Structure formats: C-alpha cells, structure tokens
Amino acid sequence: MSVSPVPDAPTPFDASWRQEAGDGLDADGLALIDQAVAWAEPRFEGQQALTGESLASHGAGVVRILAGMHTDAATRAAALLAALPTDLTAPAPAPRNDPVATAFGQEVARLVQGTRALLRLGVVARHASDAAAESGSQKEMQRKMLLAMAADLRIVLMRLASRLRTLRWHAESKTPCSVEFARETLDLYAPLANRLGIWQIKWEMEDLAFRFLEPDRYKQIARLLEEKRVEREAFIAGAIERLQSALAASGVHAEVSGRPKHIYSIWNKMRIKRLDFAQMYDLRALRVIVDDVRDCYTALGMVHEMWTPIAEEFDDYISRPKPNGYRSLHTVVADHDGRPFEVQIRTREMHQFAEYGMAAHWRYKEAGAKGGQVSASSEYDRQLSWMRQLLAWNSEVEAGDQAPVAPAAPEPAKPATRGAGKARHAAAEPAQSDERIYVMTPQARVIELPAGATPVDFAYHLHTDLGHRCRGARVDGQMVPLQTRLSTGQTVEIISAKSGGPSRDWLNPQLGFLASPRARSKVRMWFNAIELQQRITQGQALVEKELQRLGKTAVNLEQLAQNLGFARADDLYVAAAKEEFSLRQIDGLFQQPAPAAEHVPAALRGASAESAEKSGKSGVLVVGVGSLLTQLARCCRPAPPDAIAGFVTRGRGVSIHRRDCHSYLALAEREPERVIEVAWGETSDTFYPVDISVRAHDRSGLLRDLSEVFARLRLNVVGVNTQSRQSLAHMVFTVEVRGGESLTRALDALAEVQGVSSAVRR
C-alpha cells in the first residue's frame, strides 16, 4: 500500500468511536481495542492511501463496520492494525520477527498478515495484462482464491469491511471513484458478501458501486423514489401504526418498520424483468419482527385480515426453509386502493441471520449455556464448515440476484475435546478441505491445482510443451527448486528451455516433482513416445538388413508388412525390435513357390459389335422427344429391365442412370430441372455391359473357375479387375448381357463356385 503524509487532522479515535468500536465486548476486549489504538495511532503519522483517504480514518471506519457485524475483539483490533502503512511487495515477516505478533499475539498477527495477503492479491489482479484474467471463469477463480487465502473467515469479513469503508469515503468526500474499482466491487466483493449472507454490506456495496458506474441511472431512480417518498412514507407510517396496534391488542410483541429498498436492486429488477418503475410493487414494504415462530404465523394472519392477500405471491420459508438456511415469511397484499405492497415476517434470530449472515450465526447459534462464550475448538470447527461450503462455490453469478440467499447453516459442532491450539492449526489450512490451491501467472490469471502441487505441475497445467521444457521457476519473484510445494496466492513464473523434454526423475514419487496425476500422465506419454520411436528405428534397421541379405531392397515395405499380417510397417518394426517377430518369416515369404500362371479367361475379349457402348445404340427412348443423343452412365451401368431415369448433361446429351444410382440421386437433388423421363425401347438385339462383384477366399485356380462359368453361359467378359489381400480376393467383372434373365443366371452360377462368399451386381 503506497502512502504519503498529510497534515495533522483531528483523531478519529474519540469517545464516541470507542463506544461504537467496543459495542458488545467485555473488559478484556475493550482493553485490546485500547491497546491497538495506542500502538497504531502514532504509526499512522498522518499517512494516507492512494485514494487520498486518511489511513487512520480508514482503520477507524473499518472497525465501526465490524462492530456492527458483532465480530470479536481480535478481529476489530486486527482490522485497525492492518490499516497501517506497509510495503505490499515485501514478503510477510516470520512470526518471530513480526512486531504485531510480539505486541498482540499470534491470533491478531495471523489476521493482519492474512488481510495483507488479500491486499497483495488485489494489487496483482488489478495490474493483470492477460485478457483471460478478466473472464467470468477467472473472476470466479479469484473469489475461490480469496477465500482459500483466508485461513480464518474473519479475514474475509475484514476485507469486505475495508472495501465498504473505501466506497463510503468516496461517496462522503465526493472524490471520484475509478470504474475498475467499482466494477471489481460488483464482480468480486458484493457476490462474496452475498454468499456469506451479510446483506447489509452487500446492498450498500452494490448501491455505492452502481452510483459510481452508472451515475445517470442512479440519479434517475433516486429521483423517482424521492418523488414518491412523501406518499410512500405516509402510507408506511399509517400501515405501521395500524398493524402495530392490532398486534399489541392480540398480545403479540412486535417491531414493525418500513423495509428499505436499494437502488441497485430496483434497477436490476427493472432490467432483468423489463419492468417500468411504476410496475415495481415492492417499493413499499413492511418488515415485522416478533419473538418466536408462533407469533410469525399470528402476525401473518392479522396482515391477511387487514389487507387482501395476493395468493401467488406468498412464500413460507419458515416451514420450508431454503436449502441455504434462509427463513422468513414473505407475503404480498393489496391496500384499499388495490396497490400491492410486500410484508416480511420473521423472528429476531431469523432477522439477525438474514442481515449479518455468518456473524449473526456466531452470535446466536453458538450461544449456549456459556451465554455466547464458545470454546475455540467449537468456533473453529464451524469456520472450517463454512470454508468447505464456500470453496464449493461453483460458478454462481449472484450480482443480479433479487432475493437474499443466506449461506447454509453450519454443521453441528463436534464435542470440544481438543485444545484451542489444535483447532486454530486446523483452521489455518482450510484449502486442504477440498485439496485445491489457487496460484497466479505473472499476468494474474488464476490457476487451480491440487494441494501439494509444484512449479512443474503448474507448467503442465498451462501447456504440455511448457511442462516438457520447464527448467526452473520463480515464486513471488524468488528462484525456487522445482520440488517446491506451492501455496494459495503465490505468483509463479516458469523458466523454460527452447527445446528438450522432461526428466525421468519427475516420475519418482519419492523426489516430489509432481503432485498432479494429469501432469504425471503427460510425462509418461512423452517417454512412451520416445521409446516407441526408438523401437521403430531399431526394428526398421533390422528389417532392412534382412532384406539386403535376401537381395530384396526394392520391395515395398508397407506391402511387405501387410503380407506378413501387420497393418502398418511401423507395427512390423516394433514387433521386430521387441523380438516378437522372427525375421525368418520374411525369408519364408519370398521362398513361397510362385502360383502357377492362370489362364487368361477365354471369355475375356473386346466388346461385341452389338454392344451398346460400341454401337452407340442404347435402346432408350426419351419420352416426348425423338432422335435425342443418349448414353449409358458408367457409374451404375443400367441394363434392361432396370428402372431408369435420364439427366440432361452439358454437351453429351442425356445420361441414362438406374433410378437407385447414388450419383443420379445427388445430381437430381442439386439440379432437379434437368431430370427427364426415359424408358427402354427395342433392346432384344443389344448387349449391355454390367459390373459383377465377386468376393472369395483366394486360392489357386479361382480365376480359371470363374472364367469357366462365363464361358459356359456364353457371356462376353470385357473387363476384369482383381485385388487380393490377406487371403481374400475381390474381383470385378464387366460382362455383356442381353437382359435381366441372363444376369440372374450368371450370379447364381458364380455363387456356387468353391470359395466364393458373394456374387452381386454393382
């Protein structure tokens, strides 16, 4: 915190301040506050913050806010001491060298150091140069880190109170507040106060931040409220008097008041629900506070008797509390003019919980036979319970929420069987409750890592290649060993080489380089890839050496691998390197006797004179058109009696397709206007080429047997295309047929040949 001296000003620590600051404290607590004032006042020395606010006035204002939240004496004293000028760039002093610890003890010192750690986080985040640090997910991560850094939740309360005090000072002094500061309040601190259930602070923060961010809209709503203020106050005063008298007559002791309406919440509701100001029915609202739950329902009945209830606007959060613990009765009723207004009914305990959240819980829920004095063990157990809930705060954007959302009630306290020292130690490590830590890049991007993570884990989280090349790290500007365990709030910078890979030592759990299973997996994958490449190189050398010995250096290695039963050549090399494959099999492959030369099919010869392809006579008639050039499409080779269709081509007449031809269907969908109706004409003297696909187990003499079928059926084979792979043969015969009957006979005869698994027309 950068400070500069200002002229002497009247001390803010006067008698009225002492009365407010000590509200609710016993003699020991008051003595601690007096000690903190005596120790801190000369050290303020007229210093001021960067905003221009006096640090002494700031500290005094923060203590006032915390006193209103019913915090303990240690929290109030620590808040005053945390306002003292300090160098946020310097590391926190060791406990034995900390003057605060010497003068006030470890508890107060821990609160002061925790608060200053959060200030450092704020400074780094505000100077972020990484655009990702401004994203919604990053703001959520900052909230998590803020909570994780606060080993004691009182530190979070101190930080919230300090932020609120700064906003108040800007408003009181009419000093301009930066847009960044106000935006950070709405994005980070107001949602945090909302999560803690401290509605008084939440609403005030939102109103002040909104005032600085949107001054014109703020003034517009304030002016509209002021125009209706006299009418609204007159109605509320009359309603209070009437309801108060009725409750007293029924023997119900109650405090009835008007419920304040906050400008930011009004604007938010108008924006979200697209309402006009005149449509805001809850601008007039009453709050009724009674002694017990029974009186809540008695008061509700009287409210519904006096005014007309609006049924769909009634919520019973007492019999059906919200999952987060909030309890109250909410009802909307209409006055005699039919204008609705809201009434909230709750007990004093419920009201304190709704207004002050966690602080009220400490005050009321923990008060037992000890009358509010609870052992440290029980208190810290509850703080740990709160921390578990808060660190489970997934991406909740609550700045626009309309209804208060109180945090869930803490778990029941465990019996106070351990000492206060152990409880404090347990509370000092809340981040371990969900085994996560939060650290930052130099650009203030927040990174979530498992507890115990090292700079190497951090590097792999950012990028796999950066992890491979990681050679050193700076933590908060200081060089540290790569095995250093990181802590929440630290800034980590990776020093990397231009190239290279990880060390095998990183996989040794005894050496402590890696805590993240994700990072450990990436290191293993790197070494597995290196080992695989080495085996491929080694195996390739072995295979090529064997081929040189056999004098077969011109062979296609991919084809060789497939002939040996491998999908790729690399698989062959790996098997050879791992000695899972005998190189003698290569020799055996070349020593196999060459298959006897098969006869060229006797039926394989040129197209006949009557062929549709050779004669150019397709025998197809274009409906409604005469003497139009037609040609049979090669993609599907139509032949009578196939169902056919025509497609008018550019410059090549009409192309004739089978109606189920995929190419034709695609053309017809793209250009339907070029489709033309066609039909078979006189085809008895014409041969049509068709493709027959035959699949079979490869064997010697297979091609000869198939050719004999075509010869026996007197079919002219004008083309053959054969493929063989891993003992499977695929042959495509182009055969001339006169019609469908001869084609059917050919398919049936081919299917009966030994080894043929299928014979179909393509």
Side-chain angles (χ1 to χ4, degrees):
M1 183 184 296
S2 175
V3 295
S4 58
V6 293
D8 292 339
T11 176
F13 308 107
D14 53 20
S16 64
W17 177 87
R18 186 181 185 279
Q19 182 176 1
E20 288 184 56
D23 181 41
L25 299 181
D26 56 16
D28 291 340
L30 292 172
L32 180 60
I33 298 298
D34 291 339
Q35 180 189 356
V37 171
W39 196 84
E41 193 167 16
R43 289 174 169 80
F44 281 120
E45 296 179 354
Q47 299 287 320
Q48 67 177 16
L50 289 174
T51 59
E53 181 184 11
S54 163
L55 289 181
S57 297
H58 180 84
V62 172
V63 173
R64 275 196 177 97
I65 295 171
L66 290 170
M69 295 164 62
H70 314 299
T71 56
D72 59 6
T75 306
R76 303 181 202 185
L80 182 60
L81 300 174
L84 288 168
T86 185
D87 182 7
L88 293 177
T89 62
R96 62 179 178 276
N97 299 326
D98 187 355
V100 175
T102 303
F104 296 93
Q106 289 298 321
E107 181 181 14
V108 173
R110 188 176 66 249
L111 294 174
V112 172
Q113 292 302 332
T115 302
R116 288 176 177 168
L118 296 186
L119 287 172
R120 291 188 189 95
L121 167 63
V123 170
V124 174
R126 277 193 293 274
H127 289 84
S129 59
D130 188 352
E134 295 301 315
S135 66
S137 61
Q138 277 296 298
K139 286 184 171 61
E140 176 63 29
M141 202 70 78
Q142 287 178 18
R143 295 184 193 120
K144 285 188 173 184
M145 183 165 69
L146 188 152
L147 289 167
M149 287 181 68
D152 189 319
L153 281 182
R154 293 173 293 179
I155 296 172
V156 181
L157 299 182
M158 292 163 61
R159 189 72 199 97
L160 292 173
S162 176
R163 175 56 61 112
L164 177 58
R165 170 58 202 168
T166 301
L167 291 168
R168 285 180 177 177
W169 179 82
H170 278 290
E172 294 165 359
S173 64
K174 301 188 184 304
T175 303
C177 176
S178 70
V179 172
E180 293 78 11
F181 189 87
R183 175 55 59 192
E184 184 184 50
T185 300
L186 283 181
D187 289 343
L188 183 60
Y189 290 95
L192 181 57
N194 191 37
R195 183 66 180 182
L196 291 169
I198 310 172
W199 312 124
Q200 293 282 41
I201 286 185
K202 172 189 183 293
W203 295 127
E204 190 173 356
M205 275 187 177
E206 289 179 338
D207 275 5
L208 290 172
F210 180 58
R211 174 178 176 177
F212 300 132
L213 283 173
E214 302 279 355
D216 294 337
R217 292 180 181 177
Y218 180 91
K219 291 176 183 176
Q220 178 188 16
I221 296 175
R223 184 172 61 253
L224 291 171
L225 285 172
E226 183 63 24
E227 290 174 356
K228 299 288 185 179
R229 182 176 61 84
V230 175
E231 175 187 346
R232 186 170 63 252
E233 289 181 353
F235 169 80
I236 290 176
I240 289 174
E241 181 179 359
R242 183 181 175 193
L243 182 57
Q244 191 92 53
S245 300
L247 290 171
S250 300
V252 176
H253 179 262
E255 299 173 12
V256 185
S257 61
R259 183 172 68 83
K261 192 64 183 175
H262 302 280
I263 291 178
Y264 178 78
S265 67
I266 293 173
W267 173 79
N268 223 14
K269 182 176 286 188
M270 290 170 61
R271 177 177 60 88
I272 293 173
K273 296 189 176 182
R274 298 180 180 179
L275 299 175
D276 187 74
F277 184 82
Q279 297 174 290
M280 299 288 289
Y281 69 80
D282 55 350
L283 294 178
R284 304 183 305 165
L286 297 181
R287 177 172 291 147
V288 182
I289 301 175
V290 296
D291 293 334
D292 53 37
V293 173
R294 181 176 180 180
D295 288 345
C296 287
Y297 289 99
T298 301
L300 176 67
M302 299 191 70
V303 168
H304 285 178
E305 285 181 8
M306 298 170 67
W307 294 286
T308 304
I310 300 175
E312 60 271 17
E313 296 292 342
F314 171 67
D315 293 298
D316 185 350
Y317 295 123
I318 294 180
S319 62
R320 294 184 302 277
K322 291 185 178 181
N324 48 41
Y326 178 80
R327 303 177 71 205
S328 185
L329 295 176
H330 293 188
T331 186
V332 177
V333 294
D335 63 13
H336 299 301
D337 295 327
R339 295 175 300 177
F341 65 96
E342 185 183 53
V343 181
Q344 292 182 355
I345 306 171
R346 57 177 68 140
T347 66
R348 288 179 178 82
E349 181 179 340
M350 295 174 192
H351 179 65
Q352 289 296 323
F353 187 84
E355 292 294 298
Y356 299 106
M358 177 181 55
H361 185 89
W362 284 345
R363 182 176 183 183
Y364 284 89
K365 297 290 185 183
E366 295 186 0
K370 298 184 179 181
Q373 297 179 359
V374 182
S375 69
S377 172
S378 177
E379 178 179 340
Y380 277 84
D381 280 343
R382 281 169 170 75
Q383 290 182 27
L384 285 173
S385 172
W386 276 95
M387 184 60 73
R388 292 189 191 99
Q389 296 174 48
L390 291 169
L391 290 180
W393 183 7
N394 298 326
S395 304
E396 296 178 13
V397 180
E398 299 175 323
D401 291 354
Q402 295 301 310
V405 183
E411 300 166 2
K414 298 176 182 178
T417 56
R418 58 182 179 178
K422 290 184 179 180
R424 290 190 177 95
H425 178 74
E429 298 181 350
Q432 302 297 322
S433 63
D434 67 349
E435 298 297 323
R436 309 303 289 174
I437 63 170
Y438 304 88
V439 296
M440 290 183 292
T441 67
Q443 296 78 29
R445 178 184 170 199
V446 180
I447 303 298
E448 185 178 31
L449 295 170
T454 66
V456 184
D457 290 302
F458 175 85
Y460 273 108
H461 184 95
L462 293 180
H463 196 281
T464 301
D465 184 59
L466 180 63
H468 292 337
R469 296 183 290 108
C470 175
R471 296 296 179 268
R474 291 189 182 93
V475 175
D476 292 335
Q478 303 294 321
M479 289 294 297
V480 298
L482 290 180
Q483 301 101 316
T484 302
R485 290 196 169 195
L486 302 176
S487 300
T488 290
Q490 292 179 325
T491 299
V492 185
E493 179 183 0
I494 298 300
I495 300 170
S496 60
K498 291 184 178 179
S499 60
S503 168
R504 286 194 179 274
D505 289 342
W506 294 1
L507 292 175
N508 187 341
Q510 303 301 322
L511 298 179
F513 281 99
L514 294 171
S516 165
R518 181 169 175 259
R520 195 174 292 112
S521 173
K522 290 183 177 181
V523 175
R524 286 198 190 97
M525 289 174 63
W526 191 89
F527 282 111
N528 289 342
I530 293 296
E531 182 179 354
L532 176 62
Q533 189 56 49
Q534 290 173 346
R535 290 189 183 278
I536 289 174
T537 303
Q538 179 185 358
Q540 185 174 5
L542 292 172
V543 171
E544 290 178 349
K545 183 177 180 181
E546 179 67 12
L547 290 173
Q548 287 177 355
R549 188 183 69 81
L550 297 172
K552 303 290 185 180
T553 55
V555 71
N556 184 314
L557 294 175
E558 289 291 341
Q559 187 64 44
L560 174 66
Q562 292 175 6
N563 291 339
L564 291 170
F566 294 94
R568 300 178 305 153
D570 285 353
D571 297 338
L572 169 61
Y573 302 151
V574 171
K578 296 170 68 175
E579 298 183 353
E580 295 176 352
F581 169 79
S582 174
L583 295 176
R584 292 182 180 179
Q585 295 184 46
I586 298 178
D587 188 14
L589 181 67
F590 288 111
Q591 294 301 324
Q592 289 180 359
E598 297 189 4
H599 297 288
V600 177
L604 183 57
R605 51 183 181 269
S608 62
E610 295 82 7
S611 170
E613 286 188 344
K614 191 169 183 178
S615 66
K617 298 178 180 179
S618 65
V620 177
L621 302 177
V622 178
V623 177
V625 182
S627 302
L628 194 62
L629 174 65
T630 62
Q631 60 178 351
L632 301 177
R634 291 180 176 271
C635 54
C636 57
R637 294 190 184 277
D642 294 336
I644 55 175
F647 186 83
V648 180
T649 65
R650 291 183 173 89
R652 298 192 309 275
V654 179
S655 178
I656 308 302
H657 296 260
R658 286 154 54 186
R659 283 195 176 275
D660 58 356
C661 173
H662 294 294
S663 298
Y664 163 73
L665 294 174
L667 290 169
E669 182 178 3
R670 189 166 62 245
E671 298 178 273
E673 70 279 1
R674 304 179 70 174
V675 174
I676 191 168
E677 188 176 351
V678 295
W680 293 110
E682 179 58 42
T683 62
S684 59
D685 296 330
T686 306
F687 288 99
Y688 295 89
V690 296
D691 291 336
I692 297 176
S693 172
V694 178
R695 295 182 183 273
H697 295 285
D698 200 4
R699 61 177 175 81
S700 178
L702 175 63
L703 183 58
R704 183 193 65 235
D705 293 345
L706 295 174
S707 299
E708 289 178 354
V709 171
F710 293 121
R712 186 173 70 250
L713 296 176
R714 302 190 180 207
L715 295 177
N716 186 25
V717 180
V718 296
V720 180
N721 184 11
T722 66
Q723 295 179 353
S724 179
R725 184 174 181 179
Q726 295 185 355
S727 75
L728 294 177
H730 179 208
M731 304 179 183
V732 178
F733 297 91
T734 303
V735 183
E736 291 182 338
V737 298
R738 285 189 183 275
E741 184 178 350
S742 58
L743 175 61
T744 302
R745 287 199 305 269
L747 294 177
D748 292 341
L750 291 171
E752 295 177 357
V753 174
Q754 179 184 357
V756 172
S757 57
S758 68
V760 295
R761 180 184 178 187
R762 287 183 62 181

